Amino acid sequence: MPLMKRRKPTTTTDPSPTDSAGLAAVVGPAAIEHTPRYLRLGDGYAATLIVTGYPAEVGPAWLDPLLAWPGRLDVAVHIDPLPPQIAAARLRRQRARLESNRRTDTEKGRLADPITEAAADDAAELADRIARGHSKLFRVGLYLCVHATTLDELDEAIAHVRATAASVLLDTQPATWRQLQGWTSTLPLGADGLGMRRMMDTDALASALPLASSDLPAPLPGEPGATGGMLYGLNPTSNGIVWWDRWAQHNANSVVLARSGAGKSYFVKLDVLRSLADGVHVSVIDPDNEYIRLTEAIGGVTIALGANGVRLNPLDIPPADRRPKARTYRAMFLHTLISVMLGELPSSEQLALDKAINDAYDQAGISNDPDTWRRQAPLLRDVATALTAQGTDAADTLAARLTPWTTGSFRDLFDGPTTTVPSGQLVCWSTRHLADELRGPGMLLALDAIWREVDTPAIPSAHTPRRLVVVDEAWTLLREGEGAKFLSHLAKSARKRRAGLAVVTQDVGDLLGSDLGRIVIANAATQILLRQAPQAIDIVADVFGLTTGEARVLLAARRGEALLISGTHRVSFQAVASRQEHRLCIGDLELPDDE
């Protein structure tokens, strides 16, 4: 390229359409075919529309329907401020014309024109605001550039865009014979080659700026795009895609709240399936056997607590755990488990229980030396025997209260060593076979087994797989004080171990009505709200800071419609699934392939 001669700078501040076209030829496509009603830009087509008519009154974000149009549409707004002196003079002439029309109609006995009357009143009010310095006038040009791959698609897109503009009372006209100037006016060149301007005041212009959108914000210029995440659904407002990465947030925890029948289990199953495809290891606590067929279909492992021969020993020490206080941690968990089974223990019984646990470990030959942790761990009945051996009233009382769990009706879950060690990318812990009295302790045992796997090794590395723990119907555990404490501890500690906790419940009161439940919500960077019951919407709106409109949306939401909340980001979506995902989520795995 030959060197250009240095020229003196010009004083022109507004580039001409010819200069803009020349710049576009340098940085634009290799070839442009100019026709009266469209441009051919390389392998695509483009056509520019000029907004020529505006509504009398506009509301906030009145350009949002055009900004959210589901296609490639460039919206360009050219703003040129008017000096107050020129604005006042033009308003004076405009008011004079309007007043002249009003007087002419009155002299000739005509009925008053409502359009002229409204325009005169608006002009008088605007002139007063400008005179007081409360507002300013601007010359504004609004242009729309529609892109498509074929001419037929371009015609269809133009018709759709014009209909969308008409829905907000915007009149549009094609830039016939000026398509090149229209295209360059929508490029980021700051040059208006059409010059079709309209006067606007500060309020109308401020409400036109694209400060609100129904979609999630795109990455800022210079920031890398999303490399992970999964499809949550489609935005019913803009038809845009809601793509979310829980692992890119402050933590990977989530909360899913919905009334019965709102589609929360369907959405969570989709989340599980897509997490597995992303390489995440998932553990699900399933109280109602909703995930068993899904687990079996993809080759996961199901552990049915309460079934014949299935036992979990809460005193087991993981062989891979090499922390010097691992035995102490197991003793502390047994305190929590017995508190869930029997309720809050008095201090005398807590002291007796602590001594009995240590005695049971000592009798089994397990000390604080990690080399002894491979020996057979004591059972719950060994702890009861150690309680009886103490010979105190508190120990005897506690041993008697433990009788149903050691030798009575509830002993099957604890009466022997652990039979099943969870392994695999998807593990489903079913608690359907447990009695109601065992449901809370069973969920706590499952969570403890999952946590032991998550917590080993204590310091995760880049090769440690990400883990997602799904607790369905979490109200069963939240109604127990110690169970809620354990769940809140998981919510706080999961992030440091490349893990995330997903809490799912339909009993909003148990989650929102306690301080520990609110801690779980506060430590969940991803919050999903589906349809809510009218009795619970007030407390949900208060805790999540919902607007009146958002609360109404949740009251009338259809099955599968949800609101995603994460910090300042809020977006509605409709959960969507592929045909195979739908079959897996509904459990109908026998459908023929051609159905």
Side-chain angles (χ1 to χ4, degrees):
M1 179 181 295
L3 295 177
M4 300 178 62
K5 296 182 179 180
R6 185 175 180 180
R7 294 184 296 180
K8 296 182 180 180
T10 61
T11 58
T12 303
T13 58
D14 189 8
S16 65
T18 305
D19 296 337
S20 300
L23 180 58
V26 174
V27 300
I32 298 176
E33 180 183 344
H34 188 192
T35 69
R37 64 183 187 92
Y38 66 86
L39 292 178
R40 183 172 182 178
L41 307 173
D43 295 333
Y45 297 85
T48 302
L49 300 174
I50 305 171
V51 178
T52 57
Y54 297 81
E57 296 182 359
V58 295
W62 55 276
L63 279 182
D64 187 65
L66 292 174
L67 298 173
W69 186 73
R72 184 181 174 187
L73 175 65
D74 298 333
V75 181
V77 182
H78 292 266
I79 303 171
D80 184 16
L82 279 180
Q85 299 82 359
I86 299 178
R90 293 190 177 183
L91 270 178
R92 191 181 306 112
R93 290 195 295 268
Q94 180 68 14
R95 293 182 62 191
R97 285 194 295 266
L98 293 173
E99 186 64 28
S100 176
N101 291 337
R102 294 172 65 179
R103 292 183 180 182
T104 301
D105 292 340
T106 303
E107 292 174 355
K108 294 185 178 182
R110 299 173 182 170
L111 294 176
D113 185 1
I115 297 178
T116 303
E117 295 288 336
D121 294 339
D122 292 343
E125 181 184 357
L126 181 57
D128 181 70
R129 292 205 309 268
I130 291 177
R132 298 177 183 273
H134 296 166
S135 184
K136 295 182 179 180
L137 282 184
F138 300 86
R139 296 175 63 247
V140 179
L142 180 57
Y143 312 123
L144 313 174
C145 187
V146 187
H147 296 263
T149 56
T150 64
L151 282 178
D152 293 337
E153 291 181 1
L154 181 64
D155 293 338
E156 183 179 356
I158 291 174
H160 195 182
V161 170
R162 297 192 70 176
T164 303
S167 67
V168 290
L169 303 180
L170 293 176
D171 296 333
T172 57
Q173 297 295 332
T176 308
W177 292 106
R178 303 181 67 187
Q179 289 294 334
L180 180 60
Q181 293 86 343
W183 175 62
T184 57
S185 298
T186 59
L187 293 177
L189 304 176
D192 183 4
L194 295 174
M196 300 292 291
R197 301 294 184 95
R198 177 69 176 264
M199 294 294 178
M200 287 190 186
D201 64 339
T202 305
D203 294 340
L205 181 59
S207 60
L209 294 179
L211 299 178
S213 176
S214 59
D215 288 316
L216 292 172
L220 295 175
E223 291 185 356
T227 57
M230 65 186 65
L231 175 67
Y232 269 31
L234 300 178
N235 190 329
T237 303
S238 65
N239 292 327
I241 294 176
V242 178
W243 188 271
W244 189 251
D245 185 5
R246 68 162 68 230
W247 305 98
Q249 311 309 313
H250 298 299
N251 58 66
N253 300 338
S254 66
V255 172
V256 180
L257 299 181
R259 65 181 300 179
S260 178
K264 64 180 183 302
S265 296
Y266 188 91
F267 167 73
V268 174
K269 290 176 184 178
L270 283 176
D271 193 5
V272 168
L273 282 173
R274 292 164 183 173
S275 296
L276 293 172
D278 197 28
V280 179
H281 288 218
V282 182
S283 298
V284 181
I285 297 181
D286 181 14
D288 296 319
N289 286 355
E290 294 185 272
Y291 300 82
I292 287 183
R293 299 197 67 181
L294 171 65
T295 304
E296 294 174 350
I298 63 176
V301 177
T302 300
I303 302 176
L305 300 180
N308 293 332
V310 177
R311 296 184 295 271
L312 284 180
N313 184 9
L315 294 170
D316 280 341
I317 300 177
D321 193 347
R322 312 303 292 177
R323 293 174 297 179
K325 294 184 178 181
R327 197 185 93 161
T328 303
Y329 294 149
R330 300 314 306 155
M332 294 170 62
F333 170 73
L334 191 59
H335 276 275
T336 301
L337 177 64
I338 293 179
S339 296
V340 172
M341 293 189 299
L342 304 179
E344 190 68 27
L345 300 179
S347 58
S348 58
E349 293 185 5
Q350 290 181 6
L351 293 175
L353 176 62
D354 190 68
K355 184 177 185 307
I357 294 172
N358 290 319
D359 291 344
Y361 272 123
D362 291 340
Q363 292 175 7
I366 299 176
S367 64
N368 287 324
D369 184 3
D371 294 335
T372 63
W373 296 345
R374 295 185 178 274
R375 298 175 181 174
Q376 183 64 51
L379 304 177
L380 186 60
R381 64 168 177 261
D382 298 327
V383 176
T385 302
L387 282 170
T388 305
Q390 294 181 21
T392 63
D393 293 340
D396 292 341
T397 301
L398 183 57
R401 295 176 64 189
L402 283 174
T403 300
W405 312 87
T406 55
T407 59
S409 303
F410 304 149
R411 72 178 186 276
D412 292 341
L413 187 60
F414 312 98
D415 192 22
T418 300
T419 57
T420 305
V421 178
S423 61
Q425 190 178 358
L426 174 61
V427 180
C428 178
W429 296 79
S430 172
T431 61
R432 179 69 178 271
H433 299 283
L434 294 174
D436 291 341
E437 293 81 3
L438 278 170
R439 190 67 62 89
M443 292 182 68
L444 186 61
L445 281 173
L447 275 175
D448 174 67
I450 296 171
W451 176 249
R452 281 186 283 176
E453 187 176 2
V454 170
D455 198 33
T456 305
I459 302 177
S461 63
H463 302 289
T464 303
R466 296 172 297 173
R467 299 183 183 274
L468 179 63
V469 182
V470 179
V471 183
D472 201 354
E473 302 299 344
W475 60 269
T476 305
L477 195 60
L478 287 168
R479 65 185 179 184
E480 308 288 348
E482 293 298 328
K485 289 181 182 178
F486 191 84
L487 202 61
S488 63
H489 172 70
L490 288 182
K492 294 178 180 178
S493 306
R495 180 184 63 84
K496 301 177 182 178
R497 294 161 176 82
R498 298 197 73 191
L501 174 65
V503 175
V504 186
T505 183
Q506 66 182 13
D507 199 329
V508 179
D510 284 335
L511 184 62
L512 305 182
S514 65
D515 294 337
L516 294 175
R518 291 174 182 258
I519 290 176
V520 173
I521 294 177
N523 285 276
T526 303
Q527 300 163 355
I528 308 293
L529 303 179
L530 289 93
R531 183 169 183 171
Q532 301 296 318
Q535 297 82 0
I537 191 62
D538 290 337
I539 185 173
V540 171
D542 178 62
V543 172
F544 292 93
L546 302 181
T547 64
T548 303
E550 290 171 340
R552 291 176 180 174
V553 168
L554 292 180
L555 286 174
R558 296 177 297 176
R559 180 175 296 181
E561 289 185 350
L563 176 66
L564 168 64
I565 301 176
S566 180
T568 58
H569 302 329
R570 295 168 182 258
V571 62
S572 299
F573 68 90
Q574 170 71 49
V576 293
S578 66
R579 182 169 169 271
Q580 184 64 22
E581 286 176 331
H582 178 70
R583 291 170 57 183
L584 290 172
C585 291
I586 65 176
D588 192 355
L589 307 179
E590 305 300 330
L591 292 176
D593 292 338
D594 57 350
E595 183 169 331

